[in-house]
Amino acid sequence: MTADRSRLIDYIQQMEEAAQQATDFIVGLDKTTFLADTKSQMAVSMALVIMGEGVARILKLNPHIADDHPEIPWMTIKGMRNLVAHDYFELEFEVVWKTVNEDLPQLLAQLRALRHIHAQGE
């Protein structure tokens, strides 16, 4: 395995781990509890930042991956990272809740498949 492929797999795995952590942070919480829980909000927000950083690194290493795998919302993930990191006070935690509950489960499956594809040598 080449060094670039190994780094790519590492970045995908870091994104996958952060997405899993974000979903784990809200286990047992309902929307009302999450919206009142600053600690959970900050934990999930940091996981979103990590995912966005992963996208930035992946796109730098392999700029064509977004074209090759359009099923993954690369720029949306990066945009969420930018919102959390640069406009935190504008962040709508209802959107964060929806993202973690509705979008991350599918993204997790996509990242696992992508990591497997690249580990096999795509």
Side-chain angles (χ1 to χ4, degrees), residues 101-118:
N101 279 283
E102 296 178 16
D103 300 329
L104 289 190
Q106 180 179 357
L107 179 64
L108 273 165
Q110 292 167 331
L111 290 171
R112 288 179 183 127
L114 182 64
R115 183 169 45 89
H116 178 74
I117 288 167
H118 283 276

Side-chain angles (χ1 to χ4, degrees), residues 2 4 7 11 73 79 81 94 100 103 110-111:
T2 67
D4 282 351
R7 285 194 340 223
Y11 296 151
R81 176 256 179 237
E94 289 193 15
V100 175
D103 300 329
Q110 292 167 331
L111 290 171

Side-chain angles (χ1 to χ4, degrees), residues 5 9-10 13 22 39 61 80 82 84 101 103 106 117:
R5 179 171 292 155
I9 292 168
D10 286 346
Q13 185 171 350
K39 188 187 303 184
L61 183 65
M80 180 69 92
N82 290 340
V84 172
N101 279 283
D103 300 329
Q106 180 179 357
I117 288 167

Side-chain angles (χ1 to χ4, degrees), residues 47-66:
L48 296 174
V49 168
I50 292 167
M51 291 170 57
E53 286 295 316
V55 168
R57 290 174 184 209
I58 289 168
L59 293 176
K60 184 175 181 180
L61 183 65
N62 185 345
H64 301 291
I65 199 166

Side-chain angles (χ1 to χ4, degrees), residues 37-102:
D37 184 359
T38 304
K39 188 187 303 184
S40 294
Q41 292 170 2
M42 294 184 104
V44 169
S45 296
M46 188 62 197
L48 296 174
V49 168
I50 292 167
M51 291 170 57
E53 286 295 316
V55 168
R57 290 174 184 209
I58 289 168
L59 293 176
K60 184 175 181 180
L61 183 65
N62 185 345
H64 301 291
I65 199 166
D67 295 330
D68 296 341
H69 298 282
E71 71 278 8
I72 296 178
W74 302 100
M75 298 316 291
T76 302
I77 297 166
K78 191 173 177 184
M80 180 69 92
R81 176 256 179 237
N82 290 340
L83 180 62
V84 172
H86 299 294
D87 292 318
Y88 185 79
F89 295 109
E90 301 299 318
L91 190 59
E92 297 178 23
F93 285 102
E94 289 193 15
V95 173
V96 171
W97 174 260
K98 182 177 181 278
T99 298
V100 175
N101 279 283
E102 296 178 16

